[in-house]
Amino acid sequence: MSKKSIRIAIDCMGGDHGLSITVPAAKQFAQQHPDTLCLLVGDEAAIRAQLNQEGAASGDWYEIVHASETVCMDDPVEVALRRKKDSSMRIAAQAVKDERAHACVSAGNTGAWMAITRYVLKTLDGIDRPAIATSIPNQKGGATTVLDLGANVDCTAEHLLQFALLGSALVHTVDGKDRPTVGLLNIGEEIIKGNEVVKQAAELLRASGLNFYGNVEGDDICKGSVDVVVCDGFVGNVVLKSMEGLAKMVAKMLREEFTRNALTMTAALVAKPVLNRLSDRFDNRRYNGAALLGLRGIVIKSHGSADAYAFGYALQRARFAVKNGLLEGTTQYIEHLRQSFAQADVHSPLSSTSNGDTLSA
């Protein structure tokens, strides 16, 4: 076992580009963080070939963990979970389960990654389903935590309530806020707005003891109206991809306008420092890597289309979560809320005891 203080298991085979992205990103990441060991999970011969190509075959920054199978981006969840039991995804998650790694990261099939990590690691007490959460920068200079972003397409009101709990625990642990404000994403602020699931979730949130702000609309995410915004995975994924598309479109339009003629190109030279800073803030790759909350381990999901630069940020998020005690902090915060609910005699979102045990493989 390596003496490095942090160990991250990386599914090297996952994503649209696989080894050509994950291995270079891991190499660069390890150079930046010498206290971290990368467990490179996947086909050993292919990983060694990629390491040789990168000129990184030697060094104490990595260990290779062989996996004979790969979960493809279009593999059904059943295939990934039940037929590919020696996949790089499965082995990476098992490394966390066996305490060989502190966190695991994959850019692979989202549904498969959720199902596998849920089966291997199980959910925390009182949590039915894990949820994907990430921070979206807002105009206040901070970030709004949004979940779920695609792990759960169909949700009940109780699931949305549990997502609110997980998001609150994340913000409390990472940002140090005692009572994070929670908003429920809706088509209007009024109580009468929304479908039946959202209306029921709002009632549960009002009675939950959480710091519920009320219904919020899509623009409240970027306004920073609340600390946590809750929605089902279908809506959340559409919102996230729409924001990313808008950012790319604005950046493309700015480039087009500043290169239109000699005058605009001169203006671009004058404005270059500002444009570079704006470009960095708009670059969605810097926000790659979402936490899969509610599991008994730290699990990070990267965009499947991530390049090496973006995948490196997913690795950094995994390290940050370990350094900041995300799992321990979430568990403690949930237990604190459980006791608070009991003392206040209010509806608890922690009544479930399924912990993902209904999954089989």
Side-chain angles (χ1 to χ4, degrees):
M1 179 67 73
S2 169
K3 294 181 180 180
K4 290 182 180 286
S5 60
I6 298 176
R7 301 182 300 278
I8 299 177
I10 304 170
D11 168 22
C12 288
M13 315 304 290
D16 295 340
H17 310 291
L19 291 168
S20 64
I21 294 299
T22 55
V23 172
K27 173 191 171 185
Q28 180 66 28
F29 168 77
Q31 290 174 343
Q32 297 170 344
H33 304 287
D35 64 340
T36 304
L37 176 75
C38 296
L39 299 182
L40 305 180
V41 185
D43 182 273
E44 182 173 1
I47 291 174
R48 290 196 182 281
Q50 188 67 42
L51 286 168
N52 287 329
Q53 185 175 324
E54 298 294 328
S58 61
D60 65 348
W61 64 271
Y62 73 90
E63 289 181 9
I64 297 176
V65 181
H66 180 66
S68 62
E69 297 174 305
T70 299
V71 174
C72 301
M73 295 299 282
D74 58 353
D75 274 346
V77 170
E78 180 180 356
V79 171
L81 184 63
R82 298 177 180 172
R83 300 184 191 176
K84 294 187 175 181
K85 296 186 179 182
D86 196 46
S87 70
S88 52
M89 271 190 181
R90 182 79 165 253
I91 301 304
Q94 190 64 44
V96 176
K97 173 73 172 179
D98 295 340
E99 299 184 352
R100 186 175 180 180
H102 297 105
C104 54
V105 182
S106 177
N109 182 321
T110 300
W113 187 229
M114 186 195 78
I116 288 171
T117 53
R118 181 184 174 192
Y119 174 77
V120 172
L121 298 173
K122 302 297 186 289
T123 54
L124 297 171
D125 289 340
I127 301 299
D128 287 325
R129 300 180 181 181
I132 296 176
T134 197
S135 297
I136 295 177
N138 59 46
Q139 64 190 43
K140 291 184 176 180
T144 304
T145 296
V146 184
L147 70 167
D148 179 32
L149 295 176
N152 305 278
V153 174
D154 298 310
C155 298
T156 65
E158 288 74 16
H159 292 144
L160 295 178
L161 180 58
Q162 291 178 11
F163 297 166
L165 168 71
L166 292 172
S168 296
L170 174 64
V171 173
H172 171 80
T173 302
V174 174
D175 298 332
K177 295 187 178 181
D178 288 335
R179 283 179 52 77
T181 53
V182 177
L184 183 63
L185 191 59
N186 205 337
I187 57 173
E189 297 179 357
E190 299 86 352
I191 295 177
I192 61 172
K193 293 290 183 69
N195 57 34
E196 287 306 311
V197 171
V198 171
K199 290 178 182 177
Q200 292 171 14
E203 291 180 8
L204 293 177
L205 281 163
R206 280 191 288 271
S208 69
L210 295 172
N211 192 6
F212 183 49
Y213 173 90
N215 291 331
V216 295
E217 299 181 74
D219 59 343
D220 285 303
I221 296 173
C222 293
K223 285 181 181 178
S225 302
V226 293
D227 299 313
V228 179
V229 171
V230 176
C231 57
D232 66 53
F234 183 93
V235 171
N237 194 264
V238 170
V239 168
L240 180 65
K241 298 296 174 58
S242 297
M243 287 184 173
E244 292 173 351
L246 176 61
K248 291 178 182 178
M249 183 185 72
V250 170
K252 181 175 182 293
M253 286 181 172
L254 283 172
R255 285 194 298 271
E256 290 174 349
E257 292 303 321
F258 275 111
T259 57
R260 188 170 294 280
N261 53 50
L263 181 60
T264 59
M265 291 176 70
T266 301
L269 288 174
V270 175
K272 186 175 180 180
V274 175
L275 292 174
N276 285 341
R277 290 196 297 271
L278 183 64
S279 177
D280 284 342
R281 295 180 70 177
F282 268 111
D283 191 350
N284 66 289
R285 297 178 302 167
R286 298 176 66 242
Y287 305 98
N288 183 46
L292 197 51
L293 300 178
L295 295 169
R296 298 175 185 270
I298 295 175
V299 177
I300 302 295
K301 175 66 178 72
S302 164
H303 274 309
S305 60
D307 60 13
Y309 180 77
F311 194 78
Y313 272 95
L315 297 177
Q316 289 190 40
R317 290 190 185 279
R319 181 179 182 276
F320 181 80
V322 175
K323 291 280 286 186
N324 284 271
L326 177 60
L327 179 61
E328 298 82 0
T330 299
T331 304
Q332 291 171 8
Y333 187 72
I334 288 176
E335 182 57 32
H336 169 72
L337 287 178
R338 191 194 307 274
Q339 295 175 3
S340 298
F341 296 146
Q343 293 172 1
D345 193 27
V346 298
H347 180 88
S348 171
L350 301 166
S351 57
S352 171
T353 57
S354 67
N355 296 326
D357 292 333
T358 56
L359 286 175
S360 60

